[in-house]
Amino acid sequence: VITTIAGGVGAARLLAGLVQVVAPSDLTAIVNVGDDLVLHGLSISPDLDTVTYTLAGAINPETGWGLVDESWQARAMLDMYGGVSWFGLGDRDLGTHLFRTQRLAEGADLVTVTREIAAAWGLELSILPASCDPLRTMVTLAEDDPTDTDTPPLPAGTEISFQEYFVQRHHGVPVSAVRIGGADVALPSPGVLESIGDSEFVIVAPSNPIVSIDPVLAITGIREAVTARRSDVIAVSPIVAGAALKGPADRMLTELGHDASVVGVAALYSGFCGTFVIDVADESRAAEIESLGMRCIVTPTVMRTPALAADLGRTILDAMRGRS
Amino acid sequence: VITTIAGGVGAARLLAGLVQVVAPSDLTAIVNVGDDLVLHGLSISPDLDTVTYTLAGAINPETGWGLVDESWQARAMLDMYGGVSWFGLGDRDLGTHLFRTQRLAEGADLVTVTREIAAAWGLELSILPASCDPLRTMVTLAEDDPTDTDTPPLPAGTEISFQEYFVQRHHGVPVSAVRIGGADVALPSPGVLESIGDSEFVIVAPSNPIVSIDPVLAITGIREAVTARRSDVIAVSPIVAGAALKGPADRMLTELGHDASVVGVAALYSGFCGTFVIDVADESRAAEIESLGMRCIVTPTVMRTPALAADLGRTILDAMRGRS
């Protein structure tokens, strides 16, 4: 089994590449749940859904989240009522949240529900929420955030949930701190530590280091389990040429005092990761990464197409299997 | 103000007639919440929605519940997952439940949320949930209920919620008892007792006496408030020629030891209701009703069209205003 620690879009693309070069049943994805939220009474797990929908070939290709062939009738009604509608819930996507919420209310845990959803989509890889316990990534605003058409103003120092920062406020405001709420008491989902320990090797997907990867590692015991496999851990940089391909990872790194570069991410990962994959655009930084005690692989990492994602998957396999 | 005690479809049709003959702002509907349920984490109030949607001219004319121009994308997904889908949640209708659930979670009470929903539809009448407290009409099965394609078998004596009886099991199984769960601790919504007390007169809509009207009256203080207005209370029989126009009222009356006729309903209402309206089809029973100490009005009561509903509304007005 090969285990991947995953956030949303970037991780989903890499996994979609890996299933082309490894039997899907040999893959396990341990997925961030720090972005999860309860909205309108519904339990929503954005990263789990992005991974599931992408691997099912059902992701909305225009947005990178949500489902293809989506309609928005429920949201139109919410808008008519003046309700909370900053989090885009399509009608088909709602079916997933309704199912998850009902099953959780019936007493099923998130691992079981996630497995049921993946099975309904015909997926063979194992998608594991990092924890079944509530985990909430919280972001502290570094500056006053002025009001927007549908968001009230907030003063500097206010702590808001990741989705309020990311979706409601379009990650447009600088942050001064990130806290993984609940991480001190959350336990890894059943199978997570075993999957890391028994895996042929562990991939850290090209996801946001601060709000996708760290919330997984922050759960009791996971960082230690990954660190114990350090020589078998390979991470793909989510930063290419100083910028995030998607989302605010570059700005967040800078705002939190890190270097928004492959070297900055490698420095964050060097304690638990032995091999670091950077894009050819960052080839000149390879020596700096090696000076952190990591092996550095230079290869195209921008997964514009499924074929490019498969190439990256093959490169990772070669890098980890070709050792000796 | 004229106050109407209301269930779902029959009450909604009568109210749609009344707004044609009385200023809507002079009407208050006190609506049953004993059918309410939480499903998929959503707070669903079927009777409130049927009244609102009908008066908004947005009810699905084919089903009598839900919204016109509805789509079913969320339900198709729920079906794909094998989830609970016996309660039909259309995509537009979901918008209402999402809004209600979110507002309740924010701390608004059901009166406020119901008012907001009605205002969004441009309604001027006052729609009041009978209680803001949880009320759950529970039905005990009189016989074993065999399994169906999507419902497990249940033995005689099992108590299930009204929606499980009505929607999931298509009210196809005899009942031995009905209990209004929570009625002993539920309080009337703010404004309910005042509306009954101050009303010019009180209409009991042609709704199911056992599972629509009684759950309203069972709430602390409401039956007493209505009884105090007995001479100003007019009820329209939901039974015509021994049958309910919709739903299981006739069978439930029989199963619970009542007479499934206008006289059987009148007997249930005679303690709090001074005037009873029956259909021309039941004219021969008028004397029996009068013998219960009630005035009896005989008029067409089957509201096949909005014009017929307005006629019934006019007859009610004449009956209550023409007295003296």
Side-chain angles (χ1 to χ4, degrees):
Chain A
V1 169
I2 296 167
T3 300
T4 301
I5 296 178
V9 175
R13 291 203 178 146
L14 178 59
L15 288 163
L18 285 167
V19 295
Q20 299 177 63
V21 297
V22 180
S25 56
D26 287 338
L27 291 172
T28 294
I30 298 174
V31 180
N32 173 39
V33 292
D35 301 359
D36 289 14
L37 69 162
V38 174
L39 195 66
H40 312 292
L42 299 177
S43 296
I44 303 175
S45 296
D47 282 352
L48 285 170
D49 289 346
T50 294
V51 167
T52 301
Y53 294 168
T54 299
L55 287 161
I59 198 85
N60 182 330
E62 286 161 36
T63 56
W65 55 267
L67 282 164
V68 73
D69 299 329
E70 189 56 285
S71 61
W72 301 91
Q73 293 241 67
R75 188 162 75 169
M77 289 289 294
L78 262 181
D79 283 337
M80 186 189 96
Y81 292 131
V84 172
S85 66
W86 54 262
F87 194 87
L89 292 170
D91 299 326
R92 299 185 71 208
D93 191 32
L94 272 169
T96 303
H97 309 314
L98 294 171
F99 177 75
R100 178 186 294 115
T101 305
Q102 182 73 32
R103 292 288 292 128
L104 292 173
E106 289 168 0
D109 69 11
L110 190 58
V111 167
T112 303
V113 181
T114 302
R115 189 193 306 126
E116 290 169 347
I117 290 172
W121 286 105
L123 301 186
E124 291 176 52
L125 89 165
S126 175
I127 301 175
L128 274 180
S131 179
C132 293
D133 299 324
L135 201 71
R136 293 293 179 268
T137 300
M138 305 296 293
V139 171
T140 301
L141 305 184
E143 298 175 5
D144 293 349
D145 189 29
T147 192
D148 196 348
T149 49
D150 58 354
T151 55
L154 288 179
T158 306
E159 190 180 58
I160 59 179
S161 74
F162 175 76
Q163 297 295 350
E164 289 172 299
Y165 161 75
F166 186 72
V167 180
Q168 186 177 24
R169 291 171 188 273
H170 315 292
H171 50 80
V173 56
V175 309
S176 60
V178 171
R179 181 176 66 87
I180 316 301
D184 48 338
V185 290
L187 294 176
S189 291
V192 162
L193 295 183
E194 296 78 355
S195 178
I196 294 167
D198 300 342
S199 197
E200 182 186 343
F201 57 90
V202 175
I203 304 171
V204 177
S207 301
N208 188 315
I210 294 164
V211 293
S212 295
I213 301 302
D214 194 55
V216 176
L217 299 175
I219 296 161
T220 310
I222 296 188
R223 188 183 301 272
E224 292 72 13
V226 175
T227 303
R229 299 296 311 272
R230 184 179 185 281
S231 64
D232 299 314
V233 176
I234 180 168
V236 179
S237 175
I239 299 288
V240 173
L245 294 172
K246 183 175 180 298
D250 44 6
R251 276 178 287 121
M252 289 188 106
L253 284 165
T254 303
E255 288 157 15
L256 297 172
H258 307 289
D259 187 15
S261 71
V262 290
V263 177
V265 177
L268 287 171
Y269 287 1
S270 63
F272 59 80
C273 172
T275 303
F276 198 70
V277 180
I278 63 174
D279 191 74
V280 289
D282 291 306
E283 187 163 13
S284 64
R285 315 295 299 266
E288 290 171 80
I289 287 160
E290 284 165 358
S291 75
L292 294 167
M294 303 165 96
R295 183 164 63 127
C296 186
I297 311 276
V298 182
T299 191
T301 64
V302 184
M303 297 175 278
R304 280 191 206 87
T305 66
L308 288 169
D311 287 344
L312 180 57
R314 213 172 283 113
T315 300
I316 290 171
L317 282 183
D318 291 347
M320 301 311 280
R321 288 181 173 167
R323 303 171 295 172
S324 70
Chain B
V1 170
I2 297 168
T3 299
T4 301
I5 295 177
V9 176
R13 289 201 180 149
L14 178 58
L15 288 163
L18 286 167
V19 295
Q20 299 177 63
V21 298
V22 179
S25 55
D26 286 339
L27 292 172
T28 295
I30 298 174
V31 180
N32 173 39
V33 292
D35 301 359
D36 288 14
L37 68 162
V38 174
L39 194 67
H40 312 291
L42 299 177
S43 295
I44 304 175
S45 295
D47 282 352
L48 285 170
D49 289 345
T50 294
V51 167
T52 301
Y53 294 167
T54 299
L55 288 160
I59 198 86
N60 182 331
E62 286 161 35
T63 56
W65 54 266
L67 282 165
V68 72
D69 299 328
E70 189 56 283
S71 61
W72 301 92
Q73 293 242 68
R75 187 160 78 169
M77 288 290 294
L78 262 180
D79 284 337
M80 185 189 97
Y81 292 131
V84 172
S85 65
W86 54 263
F87 194 88
L89 293 171
D91 299 326
R92 299 185 71 207
D93 192 32
L94 272 169
T96 303
H97 309 315
L98 294 172
F99 177 75
R100 179 186 293 116
T101 305
Q102 181 73 32
R103 291 289 291 131
L104 293 172
E106 289 168 359
D109 68 10
L110 190 57
V111 167
T112 303
V113 181
T114 303
R115 188 193 307 127
E116 290 169 347
I117 291 172
W121 285 106
L123 300 185
E124 290 177 53
L125 88 165
S126 175
I127 301 175
L128 275 180
S131 180
C132 293
D133 299 324
L135 202 70
R136 291 293 180 268
T137 300
M138 304 297 292
V139 171
T140 301
L141 305 184
E143 299 176 5
D144 293 348
D145 189 29
T147 190
D148 196 347
T149 48
D150 58 354
T151 55
L154 287 179
T158 306
E159 191 180 58
I160 59 179
S161 74
F162 174 76
Q163 297 296 349
E164 290 171 299
Y165 161 75
F166 186 72
V167 180
Q168 186 177 24
R169 292 170 187 273
H170 316 292
H171 49 82
V173 56
V175 308
S176 60
V178 171
R179 181 176 66 87
I180 315 301
D184 49 339
V185 290
L187 295 176
S189 291
V192 162
L193 296 182
E194 296 78 355
S195 177
I196 294 167
D198 300 341
S199 196
E200 181 186 345
F201 58 90
V202 175
I203 304 171
V204 178
S207 301
N208 188 315
I210 295 165
V211 293
S212 295
I213 300 301
D214 194 55
V216 176
L217 299 175
I219 296 162
T220 311
I222 295 187
R223 187 183 303 272
E224 293 71 13
V226 175
T227 303
R229 300 294 311 273
R230 184 179 184 281
S231 64
D232 299 314
V233 176
I234 181 168
V236 179
S237 176
I239 299 288
V240 173
L245 294 173
K246 183 175 180 301
D250 45 7
R251 278 177 287 121
M252 290 189 105
L253 284 165
T254 302
E255 290 157 15
L256 296 173
H258 306 290
D259 189 12
S261 71
V262 289
V263 177
V265 178
L268 288 171
Y269 288 0
S270 62
F272 60 81
C273 171
T275 303
F276 198 70
V277 180
I278 64 174
D279 191 76
V280 289
D282 292 305
E283 185 163 16
S284 64
R285 312 296 299 266
E288 290 172 82
I289 287 161
E290 284 165 356
S291 76
L292 293 168
M294 302 165 96
R295 184 163 63 125
C296 186
I297 311 276
V298 182
T299 193
T301 65
V302 184
M303 296 175 278
R304 278 189 208 88
T305 65
L308 288 168
D311 288 345
L312 179 56
R314 213 172 282 114
T315 300
I316 291 170
L317 282 183
D318 291 347
M320 300 310 281
R321 288 181 171 166
R323 303 170 296 173
S324 73

